Amino acid sequence: MQPFERPEDFVNAAREMADAGRPALARLLAEEAADRTPDPKTAQQILAEFPGRSLRQEG
């Protein structure tokens, strides 16, 4: 398994998790992809593909 290095890697993994019926994990991966995307518009598009509120527990 290759390490995730690009935002596209996280988006692809998010799509796989969504297809596997794991929407929460898909959302988390999408959020990570959006964070690693330099273009704000692209980041918004990524998050729009995986709707829902943030599931992160930062603190």
Side-chain angles (χ1 to χ4, degrees):
M1 181 174 171
Q2 297 285 346
F4 293 175
E5 297 177 1
R6 303 170 302 150
E8 296 84 8
D9 297 329
F10 287 90
V11 171
N12 290 337
R15 288 181 180 134
E16 288 179 22
M17 290 300 103
D19 290 345
R22 310 229 17 220
L25 184 52
R27 176 63 189 198
L28 288 171
L29 288 162
E31 289 175 9
E32 189 62 32
D35 286 349
R36 292 170 181 253
T37 300
D39 178 39
K41 185 175 181 177
T42 302
Q44 287 178 337
Q45 291 172 336
I46 291 169
L47 293 176
E49 186 176 344
F50 303 92
R53 62 182 176 81
S54 177
L55 301 170
R56 291 183 177 177
Q57 296 180 355
E58 297 183 31

